[in-house]
Amino acid sequence: MLDSIRQNSQSWGVKLAFALIVVVFVFWGVGSMNNNSNSAVLATVNDTAIMMPEFKRAYELQMGAIKQRFPGIDESQFKQLKIGQQVMQGLIARTLLLQEAERLGMKVTPVELKTEIASIPLFQNAQGKFDPEVYKQMLAAQGMSAGLFERQFTEDLLAKKVRENAVLSASVSDEEARDAFDYASEKRSMEYIMYSTTDFLKKAAVADADIQAYYDKNIDRYAVPAQVSVKYLAVTPAGLAHTVKVDDAEAEAYYAEHESGFRTEEQADASHILFKLDENASDKEVAAVTAKAEKVLKLARSGKDFGKLAKKYSEGPSAPTGGALGFFGRGQMVKPFEDAVFSMKAGEISEPVRTRFGLHLIKLNSIEPSTVPAFAKVKDQIVTKLAEDKAADKVTATLDVVMEQILSGKSLEDIAKEQDIKLVASPEFSRDQAPIVIGVAKDAAEELFAVPAGTTVDTPLESNGGYIVARVEESKPESSMPLKDVSASIKEQLVAEKAGELAYEAAKGVSEKVLAGDIAGQPKVANTPPVDRQGFIPGVGSADEVVKAVFETGEKKWMGPYKTPSGAVFVRLAKVDKPSEEAWQAAKSDVHKALLERKKQEMEQSFVKSLADKAEIKIKNSEFLNKL
């Protein structure tokens, strides 16, 4: 359980380990596990059994970590990750490490254990010192004894010692680090001859039979999920808010107590002109771009329209709108840009500001200071909140009455009138859309798709802090979009594909001539800016094969043709840009650390694999793990 606590005692790991243990039961549940005996053996590693309680604790923590990082993930997506298998692999690795610690005679002394636990902020008081009472309270809140916690934490420290011992020999030389840095930072520019797909579109004929064949082969792409529409009563705090009264005195008292919570942060409205400049640009390149920026700055400060200058000179995405960025607060822009903006006065134009994107000329149009709105402006917001808070106390009682009336045969329309609850009609929605349209989780909404139209579901469905009681109005089974609705898009795709093939065939037809260096009569040679190894080339598109060829060659000769999103292309290396010595010195420490960490991880994985290869490992319940 506690490996993540030890490793991340200064970050989210500690909070996750203790704050989310209970929460994951609420959001996810572990029903399939609860049906298994706590004495169940899930796996054995040599003579050591991995038991259900140990697996459950590790599984719940992993679920909580994923939920924390990806709040929008649903249970079906979660299951696709096969977390059960990953957790089991982690527990097997941990067991192997503990067995190795025993073989090597490694121990954790009481002093070591006490020191490590005392260093965990979660167990410290306001003065940053370990507090035994806080320690006991935190463990008790999670239903864990100090003995159990300390036993598991001791095991984690032992596993840590074994891992550290296994990677003691890890090291990274300057030469190795420099080679890795040069490899990652190197950029290359190229010349290319493009046989564009667009030039062959008119020659790319696609028959109706081709469209039909594509549709039949890819029918799954055109699936329309089952859909329902419902009418429902929202027995929720929001749905019942109109049934309670909030007087002005209550609202004013709330405002007085929470006034600071209504504060709006300082906001700036700015425009900018961007001159692109690589982070690792040479001094010569920096000087050239700076001169260009200062020339435009002079025009701007002489009274020329900043927006028009931005449209003409800016190389950023906001150029078409005159460089306008709209209002933004602190933390929304890169730090140098933000610092400049919030140190300026309205109407002022900055000196060139360097960021990782390049050089910016910034004009501060206006600034709105931090303010607290008057009570009158937020009164409605406060009244709504207080009404919903009060209405939350009525949800259970109101639901009981509604369900009794449902069971007595009353219609939703009659119940809505009697209970003063609005009857809401939903648009059609699929299972995946249920959380957005009616506020019901996908799994909970399943019942709406299992009954015929006209059926009132006799089980209330959890929604937005309360429940909804729904009647299915229309129910449409899963189907496929008709060919007539998608034939145009299919034809467009097939025409583009065929045009791409024609372009490639045309390029192949002249490849012998081009590769020999004779490019007379070919499309115009174009040049690219320096590109890295990521695979995207301006003017060409994503072309991993092209990038690979250009970065592997040392000769300036034509290569190809290659298929790309834009057509068929011949390429030739134009220039190699190696990172500068200054850039290397600035990055040297970080590169060393990253490579050393990666090498340690690789050595640790290899070490654990060697332990596993020599061990007898048996999974006792693969079917159970595969379901998670």
Side-chain angles (χ1 to χ4, degrees):
M1 167 184 173
L2 302 170
D3 193 43
S4 62
I5 295 178
R6 179 191 52 70
Q7 293 183 27
N8 301 286
S9 61
Q10 303 302 320
S11 60
W12 59 266
V14 175
K15 296 178 182 178
L16 184 65
F18 291 94
L20 291 181
I21 289 176
V22 175
V23 176
V24 292
F25 279 106
V26 176
F27 284 104
W28 292 101
V30 286
S32 57
M33 288 191 225
N34 292 335
N35 294 328
N36 290 272
S37 167
N38 276 341
S39 63
V41 177
L42 293 181
T44 58
V45 182
N46 295 321
D47 297 327
T48 303
I50 296 177
M51 308 296 289
M52 177 62 76
E54 181 181 9
F55 178 84
K56 285 172 67 174
R57 285 191 295 270
Y59 183 77
E60 288 156 11
L61 281 174
Q62 188 70 359
M63 290 168 72
I66 294 173
K67 185 72 175 177
Q68 179 91 345
R69 187 173 180 186
F70 305 103
I73 191 171
D74 62 33
E75 194 165 357
S76 64
Q77 293 171 320
F78 185 85
K79 286 183 177 179
Q80 290 174 14
L81 299 176
K82 298 187 180 299
I83 298 302
Q85 296 178 25
Q86 294 183 38
V87 169
M88 179 54 72
Q89 289 173 5
L91 290 174
I92 289 172
R94 183 175 186 274
T95 303
L96 288 168
L97 292 170
L98 292 175
Q99 291 176 351
E100 182 68 2
E102 183 177 5
R103 187 186 73 80
L104 295 173
M106 290 182 173
K107 302 290 183 183
V108 173
T109 67
V111 173
E112 285 180 291
L113 179 63
K114 181 178 179 180
T115 301
E116 289 285 347
I117 291 177
S119 70
I120 298 176
L122 197 67
F123 300 144
Q124 297 171 354
N125 57 26
Q127 288 72 46
K129 294 184 178 181
F130 176 77
D131 188 325
E133 288 304 314
V134 174
Y135 177 58
K136 293 176 184 177
Q137 291 170 10
M138 292 304 302
L139 294 181
Q142 305 306 325
M144 180 180 290
S145 68
L148 174 60
F149 175 85
E150 289 168 14
R151 178 178 65 79
Q152 292 177 345
F153 199 72
T154 298
E155 291 177 351
D156 286 342
L157 293 175
L158 278 174
K160 174 190 175 184
K161 285 189 175 185
V162 177
R163 287 197 303 269
E164 290 176 343
N165 186 64
V167 300
L168 280 175
S169 62
S171 65
V172 176
S173 67
D174 277 357
E175 183 181 6
E176 188 179 0
R178 181 63 190 262
D179 286 344
F181 176 74
D182 286 347
Y183 180 88
S185 303
E186 179 184 308
K187 293 189 176 184
R188 297 191 173 198
S189 54
M190 65 195 82
E191 297 175 305
Y192 67 91
I193 296 171
M194 174 68 73
Y195 275 72
S196 176
T197 297
T198 57
D199 294 336
F200 292 85
L201 290 174
K202 292 182 179 179
K203 298 179 182 178
V206 174
D208 289 345
D210 297 329
I211 297 173
Q212 181 70 59
Y214 183 90
Y215 175 79
D216 293 340
K217 184 178 180 180
N218 299 278
I219 191 68
D220 290 346
R221 296 186 184 183
Y222 307 107
V224 177
Q227 294 188 320
V228 297
S229 62
V230 300
K231 284 187 177 180
Y232 64 93
L233 302 175
V235 188
T236 64
L240 300 177
H242 68 281
T243 65
V244 300
K245 179 175 176 56
V246 176
D247 59 39
D248 288 352
E250 289 177 275
E252 288 175 357
Y254 182 89
Y255 176 80
E257 185 177 350
H258 300 87
E259 185 175 339
S260 61
F262 295 100
R263 178 179 297 278
T264 59
E265 297 302 321
E266 186 179 28
Q267 296 277 312
D269 175 20
S271 303
H272 78 137
I273 300 172
L274 172 65
F275 301 90
K276 289 185 177 179
L277 181 63
D278 191 88
E279 285 184 275
N280 300 316
S282 66
D283 291 344
K284 184 178 179 181
E285 291 171 321
V286 172
V289 176
T290 301
K292 184 179 177 182
E294 289 178 343
K295 178 182 175 183
V296 177
L297 174 60
K298 187 175 181 180
L299 293 173
R301 286 181 171 173
S302 71
K304 298 290 184 181
D305 186 281
F306 192 88
K308 290 181 179 179
L309 291 175
K311 289 180 180 180
K312 183 176 181 179
Y313 293 105
S314 181
E315 297 169 359
S318 63
T321 59
L325 298 172
F327 280 97
F328 55 88
R330 294 182 184 273
Q332 294 180 254
M333 299 293 180
V334 289
K335 196 70 168 59
F337 193 99
E338 174 189 300
D339 290 343
V341 167
F342 286 98
S343 66
M344 295 167 63
K345 296 178 181 179
E348 188 177 350
I349 299 173
S350 73
E351 293 291 324
V353 176
R354 179 83 182 267
T355 74
R356 66 173 184 266
F357 302 107
L359 291 180
H360 307 257
L361 299 180
I362 308 169
K363 181 179 180 182
L364 179 61
N365 302 315
S366 65
I367 194 155
E368 291 188 359
S370 173
T371 59
V372 177
F375 170 70
K377 287 191 175 183
V378 294
K379 177 182 176 181
D380 291 344
Q381 175 186 338
I382 294 173
V383 168
T384 297
K385 183 196 182 308
L386 294 179
E388 290 184 5
D389 288 348
K390 286 185 176 183
D393 296 333
K394 298 179 62 177
V395 167
T396 300
T398 304
L399 180 65
D400 288 343
V401 173
V402 168
M403 294 312 299
E404 286 178 5
Q405 292 181 315
I406 289 287
L407 294 174
S408 70
K410 287 191 175 182
S411 69
L412 293 184
E413 285 78 5
D414 290 340
I415 298 172
K417 291 178 182 177
E418 291 182 24
Q419 300 301 320
D420 191 20
I421 305 174
K422 182 180 179 181
L423 183 62
V424 181
S426 80
E428 291 182 349
F429 61 90
S430 65
R431 289 174 173 85
D432 289 340
Q433 295 169 328
I436 298 172
V437 177
I438 60 173
V440 171
K442 180 180 174 182
D443 288 348
E446 192 63 41
E447 195 163 354
L448 300 173
F449 292 84
V451 299
T455 303
T456 298
V457 177
D458 57 9
T459 301
L461 306 177
E462 290 188 35
S463 173
N464 299 323
Y467 302 86
I468 70 166
V469 180
R471 180 178 68 222
V472 178
E473 298 296 296
E474 288 188 75
S475 181
K476 295 181 180 179
E478 184 176 343
S479 61
S480 298
M481 296 175 66
L483 176 59
K484 64 181 180 63
D485 291 347
V486 296
S487 61
S489 62
I490 293 175
K491 183 176 182 178
E492 183 178 351
Q493 179 181 338
L494 294 180
V495 166
E497 290 175 1
K498 184 163 284 191
E501 290 297 331
L502 292 173
Y504 183 68
E505 291 300 320
K508 280 177 61 179
V510 298
S511 61
E512 185 175 346
K513 183 179 176 183
V514 172
L515 297 182
D518 182 1
I519 60 173
Q522 299 304 315
K524 182 181 178 182
V525 176
N527 296 277
T528 75
V531 300
D532 56 26
R533 298 175 186 268
Q534 299 307 307
F536 182 83
I537 307 170
V540 176
S542 295
D544 291 338
E545 189 179 10
V546 175
V547 171
K548 183 174 184 289
V550 170
F551 273 87
E552 286 181 351
T553 188
E555 302 178 77
K556 295 184 178 182
K557 64 179 184 179
W558 289 106
M559 300 177 290
Y562 301 101
K563 292 181 178 179
T564 77
S566 304
V569 66
F570 293 99
V571 295
R572 179 168 67 181
L573 174 64
K575 183 184 176 186
V576 177
D577 290 329
K578 296 282 189 181
S580 67
E581 179 65 23
E582 292 80 5
W584 160 241
Q585 291 300 329
K588 184 177 179 178
S589 176
D590 289 339
V591 173
H592 266 277
K593 289 177 183 177
L595 286 181
L596 183 60
E597 185 60 32
R598 186 172 70 183
K599 188 169 286 190
K600 285 181 177 180
Q601 289 175 356
E602 291 171 351
M603 290 178 68
E604 182 182 324
Q605 290 168 2
S606 178
F607 175 69
V608 172
K609 184 178 185 302
S610 71
L611 294 178
D613 289 342
K614 294 181 287 187
E616 183 179 11
I617 301 171
K618 295 180 180 179
I619 305 297
K620 300 291 188 178
N621 198 337
S622 297
E623 184 178 352
F624 164 70
L625 295 174
N626 291 335
K627 288 179 180 178
L628 299 176

